[in-house]
Amino acid sequence: MTTSEIPDIIVGRLPRYLRTLELMHDQGIATTSSKDLGDQLGISAAQIRKDLSQFGGFGKQGTGYNIPYLIQQLRAILNVDRVWDMAVIGAGDLGHALARYQGFLKRGFRVAMVFDNNPEKIGKKIGDIIIQDSSEMIPAIRGAGIKIAMLTVPGKAAQDVTDDLVKAGIRAILSYAPIVLTVPDDVHVQNIDPVTRLQRMTYYLD
Amino acid sequence: MTTSEIPDIIVGRLPRYLRTLELMHDQGIATTSSKDLGDQLGISAAQIRKDLSQFGGFGKQGTGYNIPYLIQQLRAILNVDRVWDMAVIGAGDLGHALARYQGFLKRGFRVAMVFDNNPEKIGKKIGDIIIQDSSEMIPAIRGAGIKIAMLTVPGKAAQDVTDDLVKAGIRAILSYAPIVLTVPDDVHVQNIDPVTRLQRMTYYLD
């Protein structure tokens, strides 16, 4: 199976399929249909069938999708059939929340390091993780081979920190900073933004 | 202009267009094209033109879109040409981060109330906001006419709290809880999930 030519827009929908399937699985549901999945996600059944057919298709006409099997396949495609270590940059409220979040580990991610430049925070612990000095970030991340960072620093510092993360070998950045980050082509950035999600709902409010 | 028949999937893209336009505007850019917008968002130029044409279209062939005008129009369509008060439910790390987040106000949202059921937190302040007792949540939200809530309580409490929010008159819930919430048809829920965004990037990592 060659996945290198899958359009990014389809790749972007796969984690949402996986998430919904995992929630169904937690509820004890064993099979689903493209229509069921689509209804939960606001995506057409035809689109879901078309997306999954890019990877060979996983359902049978009339019997639907086997949820545990489809979860396994999507995890393999998305490279989350393993645990990825991550670094959290910025130990403010949001950095603390991310470092403590229990939902990462069962879905393939683990916060391994937290960095801040505030001397009052450096050396303190969040759970089992000691907050490290940002000035040691590049060798620490590089030494541990960490490829994923979550960025919670203020907007004005975000680009400089990002440049350092690239030097440290980071390849994927989940950014909470309200700016567009400039990165090399082989580094991926996802901006996560509560306001965008709120605005999707206010459309429907009077 | 009738917007009641716009498919939800298009509505879901409009806040992303608005967000990108606002960031361009902050950078001093005055006009853009469907191609520019699409490149930034990973959406085809044709899709963007088609989406915006649902509202009458805002661009001229050859001159592109006037960014301040398009921002104004999208804000009106999404009902964010005003300020919406919100309640944060759960005053843990994430609740604190949301209550302190400076990015809401300029984009149409204001955290007006925070609730928790922990006696050690009730009465303490986050910035100017006093954490209120969850047992007073229904009358407090109803009395203030608040329609939007951000839910940061643990998964096992999330459905019960959601039922109370519906009783309080809440119509839109941004949920950080890792469960599917059951709500009446006229209440909107958006689940916000960092893992889904991380998985979109791991696809590209070796």
Side-chain angles (χ1 to χ4, degrees), chain B residues 123-143:
Chain B
K124 295 222 167 73
K125 290 178 93 172
I126 306 176
D128 293 333
I129 304 167
I130 296 172
I131 299 170
Q132 297 183 69
D133 188 336
S134 296
S135 68
E136 293 158 19
M137 188 176 81
I138 296 176
I141 287 177
R142 184 171 282 286

Side-chain angles (χ1 to χ4, degrees), chain A residues 3 8 12 15 19 77-79 93 100 107 171 178 188 190-191 193 196-197 200 202-205, chain B residues 3 8 12 15 19 77-79 93 100 107 178 188 190-191 193 196-197 200-206:
Chain A
T3 57
D8 180 64
R19 167 70 161 160
I77 291 166
L78 292 168
N79 292 321
D93 292 317
R100 285 189 181 132
R107 296 170 66 199
R171 298 274 316 284
H188 299 267
Q190 287 277 308
N191 293 289
D193 176 23
T196 308
R197 308 303 291 277
R200 180 167 184 165
T202 52
Y203 173 84
Y204 297 101
L205 301 190
Chain B
T3 57
D8 179 65
R19 167 69 162 161
I77 290 166
L78 292 169
N79 292 320
D93 293 317
R100 285 186 180 135
R107 296 171 66 200
H188 299 267
Q190 287 277 308
N191 294 290
D193 176 23
T196 309
R197 309 303 291 278
R200 182 170 181 161
M201 298 189 285
T202 51
Y203 173 84
Y204 297 102
L205 301 190
D206 316 318

